Amino acid sequence: MGDPSITAEFVRLIRSSAPGPAAVAAARDGVLDFLACAFGGVSDRAIAPLEAALGGEGGAAIASVIGRHGRVAPLTAALLNGALGHALDYDDVQRSVGGHPSTVILPALFALAEEQGDTAEALLDAYVVGVEAMARIGLALGRQHYEAGFHPTATLGPIGAAAATAFLAGLDDAGTARALSLAATQSAGLRLQFGSDAKPLHAGLAARAGLFATRLALAGFGAAEDAFDGPIGFLAVYGGEGTEPRLAIEGWGEPWQIVSPGLIFKRYACCSASHFAADAALALKAEHAIDPQAVVDATVTFARGGDAALTVRQPRTGLEGRFSVEYVVAAALQDGRLGLDLFADTPVRPELAALSARVERRIDPCAPPVSNDPATRFSTVELRLADGRVLSRRVDRPLPANDLAAKFRDAAGPAPAVAAVPEIVRSMRSRDDLAALFAAFRA
């Protein structure tokens, strides 16, 4: 299976990439959104034990960690910043990836760029390339990879991070091929971890794996140079019968994946699969001034596979509620809002637990199954009220977080040094600009 030229062409495309202004502008948005999520995740319950477990790791302390005053070894920084960015499940998603690219790629790039003294412009170009590589592998694998139980953020992330860091490091063809191969062989992560501390750990491990792969290649470490080819290559092993290897290379940068379908920036700190229902429930609440006590029951309808990531039905905590459409709909109807506090690691309020129990799921047998085509994704929320009324709202495209500076302020807080981050990201070009951003991490 597979064309023997896939890996070689993939490498050639990475090394010859030259992102244009539209892609770089989209990259600036991605950096700002990631940093909002990472600063917001600084106090998340998973971070302290992760730092404690990493306390003995050695290496030169030259890389910054978001929200921490000191520096650590680059591989440790990549892991911690990756986990920070995904801790709240508030970070961007990308349709072709089927997961979260920025929380893997950017931490790896930040650590390498700080070590090498790169410019902000070089980092932004490498970020575009990393998203492209991760998304192209996602397209080539198809939906079966996700349905088998893999978490694409974790499994595709090392490849995206390796592509980005190899590009930034200036590796040649052979070195880039080895970096990708070493990243692919570290690929791991299961969806059964959704709702646990291990899910943000996936992002951190993927960031570190991609950076480690590039560092190994820079050091001359050997590996197979045909990672995506043949019956035991990455695509065949991880994708199964639905794999289409040519999608890894066809249409590269035409347009860039960071531009179209682009990055989706979340309005709510919960799984993106629940955002359709969240918007529908909030709209019904606002339009009809719904008393949650009058809701006899609610039904959320998905296409087949549309709720696959929503692995929790009756959450015990707000953390678990990030992966429960029942909880999200109940909170929207009860509070008329979905703030960060609703998804904290605290017990679910009794009234939300009671309302969640009255929310059911349904699969529309006539709708096409969920795929990379956004037109296959939707949710319909139907409410049956005590007065006999039945209210319904369908959402096909969730509302994005359009004001990323406001999202940053809300998540990161008002500290003056941190407040400067949005402007730094919007204008950064030079080595000094990037150094100012890293200094803000440690402020």
Side-chain angles (χ1 to χ4, degrees), residues 43 71 86 100 114 186 219 243 256 266 341 366 376 380 395 440:
S43 299
R71 288 184 171 97
H86 201 42
H100 307 260
E114 192 165 12
Q186 297 177 79
T243 302
W256 294 100
K266 292 184 176 183
D341 57 301
C366 299
T376 63
T380 301
V395 170

Side-chain angles (χ1 to χ4, degrees), residues 335-368:
D335 294 355
R337 54 178 285 278
L338 291 170
L340 286 172
D341 57 301
L342 284 164
F343 302 103
D345 187 30
T346 53
V348 170
R349 289 159 26 207
E351 69 273 21
L352 291 182
L355 187 51
S356 296
R358 303 202 295 275
V359 180
E360 297 183 350
R361 305 185 193 189
R362 174 182 174 271
I363 301 300
D364 183 347
C366 299

Side-chain angles (χ1 to χ4, degrees), residues 74-94:
L75 292 174
T76 303
L79 193 159
L80 286 171
N81 285 331
L84 281 165
H86 201 42
L88 301 181
D89 221 281
Y90 202 16
D91 50 311
D92 64 38
V93 294
Q94 208 273 352

Side-chain angles (χ1 to χ4, degrees), residues 116-120 429-436:
Q116 294 185 160
D118 290 300
T119 67
R429 296 183 181 278
S430 68
R431 182 179 292 108
D432 288 344
D433 293 336
L434 198 53

